[in-house]
Amino acid sequence: MSSSNQLLEIDQYIERLFVPRDPVFEQALRDATEAGLPEINVSPNEGKLLYLLAKLAGAKRVLEIGLLGGYSTIWLARAIAPKGKMVTLELDEQCVRVASKNLERAGLRSMVDIRHGAASATLEKMVQTGEPPFDLVFIDADKNNYPIYLDFAMKLTHPSSLILADNVIRDGKVARSGETDPLVLGIQEFNRKLAANPKLEAILITVMREALDGLAIARVKD
Ligand code: SAH
Ligand code: DHB
Ligand code: MG
């Protein structure tokens, strides 16, 4: 059994080796904290993983659900720069302001279309108006709506697209039955739906933080 201290030590070891310090990311996180946003962005190592997955998939169009201060957005936008295009959905106006500034400073603002509002309403509109499909969808907003976001992701992707989702392990709580936290229940339902969808091939991988969390990786079948 690894203790959380060991997990953190390993995480920091990987970060030192593989994620060089970068003032753009550091300033983005500082600004988000100063603006009072919660520090719930993906970790640097997970950001690097998102970046690599986007590159491996050859993604050009990326949809993100849950922008916060734009930290994960910068990772994904850099992976598809300069020709790619990102759409990111966010409910909170303050997040939109902070992220917009962070993307501006990163030189990525023109690549990223920020859509303010409840994600499910925005997604419904995107389906209705015939939004072109995305090569990669990253789900990272309110956990109780993950199952709905998966339905929308299926409608807004094409064969070979990637669907990714953060926070799918939640310190191992997802593996226990009898959990009552609606957020955990939402993730459990999402994970079951992901596993059972015949149009997808998927897996969950653990992501080391202070506590163990995880990333879902799914590919729409050809
Ligand atoms: N992807 C970000 C973290 C996102 S945190 C990163 O790693 O840097 C989750 C975000 O989802 C928060 O900013 C929160 O305001 C937003 N959110 C919560 N409920 C939402 C909803 N119904 N529609 C859109 N965004 C929502
Ligand atoms: C938390 C972490 C996240 O990555 C997220 O998207 C939402 C919440 C958390 O630890 O509370
Ligand atoms: Mg998250």
Side-chain angles (χ1 to χ4, degrees):
M1 253 322 236
S2 276
S3 70
S4 62
N5 268 347
Q6 276 175 305
L7 292 181
L8 197 58
E9 194 183 325
I10 295 164
D11 197 45
Q12 288 167 350
Y13 166 76
I14 297 169
E15 186 180 328
R16 276 198 305 278
L17 267 179
F18 293 97
V19 192
R21 292 186 60 172
D22 180 330
V24 168
F25 284 120
E26 288 175 4
Q27 184 69 47
L29 291 178
R30 263 200 305 278
D31 268 31
T33 303
E34 267 167 37
L37 304 191
E39 292 173 19
I40 55 173
N41 49 274
V42 295
S43 67
N45 291 345
E46 191 181 359
K48 180 75 180 275
L49 176 59
L50 294 174
Y51 170 92
L52 282 170
L53 287 169
K55 288 215 155 180
L56 287 166
K60 290 284 166 278
R61 277 176 55 79
V62 170
L63 171 64
E64 176 179 71
I65 309 175
L67 163 71
L68 192 67
Y71 182 79
S72 55
T73 323
I74 296 174
W75 276 109
L76 286 165
R78 279 189 173 179
I80 62 172
K83 287 208 169 144
K85 164 127 165 79
M86 244 184 112
V87 176
T88 178
L89 315 185
E90 175 57 52
L91 179 64
D92 183 83
E93 209 171 335
Q94 168 80 338
C95 288
V96 170
R97 269 197 298 274
V98 172
S100 183
K101 204 170 133 215
N102 282 334
L103 288 164
E104 194 75 60
R105 204 167 27 218
L108 299 165
R109 186 66 189 87
S110 62
M111 286 177 63
V112 181
D113 178 357
I114 300 176
R115 300 191 191 168
H116 179 219
S120 48
T122 310
L123 289 162
E124 183 60 49
K125 203 179 295 168
M126 289 166 81
V127 171
Q128 296 306 327
T129 57
E131 177 83 30
F134 293 92
D135 310 309
L136 189 157
V137 178
F138 175 49
I139 302 172
D140 193 18
D142 45 332
K143 312 307 161 198
N144 48 316
N145 280 322
Y146 267 38
I148 293 168
Y149 297 151
L150 179 58
D151 295 337
F152 280 115
M154 294 307 297
K155 290 182 187 162
L156 290 165
T157 49
H158 57 73
S160 86
S161 289
L162 281 191
I163 299 174
L164 309 175
D166 191 30
N167 308 113
V168 293
I169 300 288
R170 301 313 284 157
D171 201 18
K173 290 195 181 100
V174 292
R176 294 179 209 134
S177 54
E179 287 287 330
T180 52
D181 180 348
L183 302 187
V184 175
L185 292 174
I187 298 285
Q188 286 176 325
E189 190 193 335
F190 172 83
N191 290 341
R192 279 194 301 270
K193 275 182 83 156
L194 197 69
N197 191 318
K199 295 194 172 118
L200 294 175
E201 295 178 296
I203 193 67
L204 310 184
I205 61 162
T206 51
V207 171
M208 288 179 245
R209 311 285 300 257
E210 290 82 356
L212 210 55
D213 213 323
L215 180 73
I217 304 175
R219 180 181 182 276
V220 182
K221 283 186 189 167
D222 296 309

